Amino acid sequence: MRLNRMAAFGASVLVLLSACTTGGGGAQAPAGTTPVQVPPVATDTISPGATQTDPGAPTPSSPAAGSPAASGSPSGGGASGPTLASTLVLGAPPECPERPFCAVGLRKKYGIEFKEIRALDPGGPLTVAAVEKGQVDVGLLFTSDPAIAIKGFVLLEDDKQLQLSDNLIPVIRREVLDASPEIADLINPWMAKLTQEELTELNRRVSIDQEAPADVVEEWLAENGLQQAQGEAPGQGKRVVVGSTNFYEQEILGEIFAQVLEANAYDVDRRFNLGNREIVFPALQAGEIDLLAEYIATALEFVNKGKGEASADPAATAQKFRQRLEPLRLTALDYAPATDQNGFVVTQETARKYDLSKLSDLARPAP
Amino acid sequence: MIRWDWIGRNLDDIAESLAEHLTLTVIAVLVGFALSFAASLLIHRRRWLYAPFTSVSGFLYTIPSLALFAFLVPFTGLSLLTAEIGLVSYTLLILIRNTVAGLDGVPAEVREAADGMGYSRSQRLWRVELPLALPVIVAGLRIATVTTIGLVMVTALIGQGGLGQLMLRGFNRQFPTMIYVGFVLSVALAVIADAALLLAQRALTPWSRGGVR
């Protein structure tokens, strides 16, 4: 209940934000002055324009042999015309249409394209509320989100393995790690301790119980035996800038890094709640932030511009990721067992109505 | 619903956000006004400059802030400067248009009278045209100020953002109190700034007292 009201309010804040991102919005000149031209406000919905004429999946009468979409044609065999997905609305972050593990991957791997992709927050309360209220049919959440279980959403099984090894991994500037190689030894043991259960529990305490990330992390670190360094601490006189994007899980990870380093006498500067990868990667490269939590497969495909190098093997994906980070003067520490993948959810009602349990069900012909 | 205890414990944080919001706004409006004022005087002298100046400022106005910040971060970092480049460029269109409109609104007879009294061009500008244009110029400043107070929020993308940062943090943590505090304070800031500018304009243009604003 509280979450709902909160999300409704947050929605208006975000609408304001998205209106603002075009520059102006509602600037009105008072009477008697030259009216200021109001620029077009960015629409917050992105329609895959060609849905009707080009349902993404090739029809049997036009065998698109050799086309990359061919491998993703609906398994239903006799699928002709629009798919079930083309009658549904997906709620996802604004960058979804360009992301390989979102709209692009859904089209290539599953042959599905939604009627509309409504731009919402990255797996936050807005998306949860939109799914719950039926404003979108399918919502993109993260698999470590405790709201999925609490709201009783049906997580559609990723039966064609679109989502790959999205284990949490700290990305660090090469220069910082070279100057302070001990940072790896300080952070890595904590990544090893971060299992799926631990991560989901930390997320639950912040997003459901409304506890402050700093407090939750402080308790978790203390319970798991974080020692305050005595005497000659490695971080004496060293400054590290820890970043995070505007997603609570990121802030939790940022707090873990920050507090572990602070316990070793590092001077930590927190730059949390930054924008998405388009902001934080340039910031990492420019040396504005030194350390940031990432998700191996998604971050690799961001850095390599969607070359499809990520796999279901986290070790191989992490190795490839480090190679790709090299020219950016960045590297990555050890990844955690915990993953956080894109998860597509529907309400139980929607699942029953269309008989949905896995993503490929969305590629069935429209009713 | 509102956690008063949280507000009580975090007054310092809230005051800091408010101060940051005010700083971002004041710098943006002052720098924006200085640039626009200079541009408007140039336009006033060389009329053909109007189209290029307004189309450039109009273009800046339409750049999405995320794109602008993503472009600037490699050069200017997650800094106040990056935030201000965005905010200042969003004030230019409003301010240039209003300042030029104000100067254009001075009746031709008044200008001729000033010429007839032997005013030089700059005397005419500073003593006659600008004072008469003041209400329209201040109207532009008021829009720019109130708009900027709202726009400061988008600089939260680069870790600035003043009260916007507070609201965004509250939103991410699903902690409504932070959003309410940020919302109430930014609206209050906008109302107070608008009223202050209006009062300043009234004080500077005593001759228009009682007339239209």
Side-chain angles (χ1 to χ4, degrees), chain A residues 3 5-6 9-10 13-14 17 20-24 27-30 33-37 39 121 125-126 206-207 210 212-213 246 248 271-276 278-279 282-283 286 288-289, chain B residues 1 61-66 69-70 73-74 77-78 90 93-94 97-98 101 136 139 143 147 150-151 153-154 156-160 165 168-176 179-180 183 213:
Chain A
L3 191 71
R5 230 173 314 153
M6 163 71 211
F9 193 94
V13 173
L14 275 211
L17 259 175
C20 287
T21 46
T22 52
Q28 293 291 327
T33 65
T34 309
V36 170
Q37 276 177 353
D121 55 351
L126 208 53
V206 171
S207 75
Q210 305 197 337
N246 49 9
Y248 58 82
R271 306 300 300 266
F272 290 174
N273 283 305
L274 301 171
N276 50 14
E278 278 78 1
I279 297 287
E288 288 284 318
I289 47 182
Chain B
M1 195 66 210
Y61 200 62
T62 58
I63 301 177
S65 52
L66 175 64
F69 292 144
V73 163
L78 302 169
Y90 294 142
L93 181 66
I94 301 168
R97 282 194 174 235
N98 275 279
V136 180
I143 310 166
T147 315
L151 276 173
M153 201 186 217
V154 304
L157 280 172
I158 52 166
Q160 305 279 333
Q165 183 72 243
L168 202 61
R169 241 161 51 209
F171 181 68
N172 285 327
R173 283 180 38 195
Q174 302 167 28
F175 192 83
I179 300 179
Y180 295 135
F183 174 74
R213 61 183 176 102

Side-chain angles (χ1 to χ4, degrees), chain A residues 285-300:
Chain A
Q285 284 176 257
E288 288 284 318
I289 47 182
D290 299 323
L291 182 60
L292 173 84
E294 261 299 354
Y295 305 88
I296 324 174
T298 305
L300 170 60

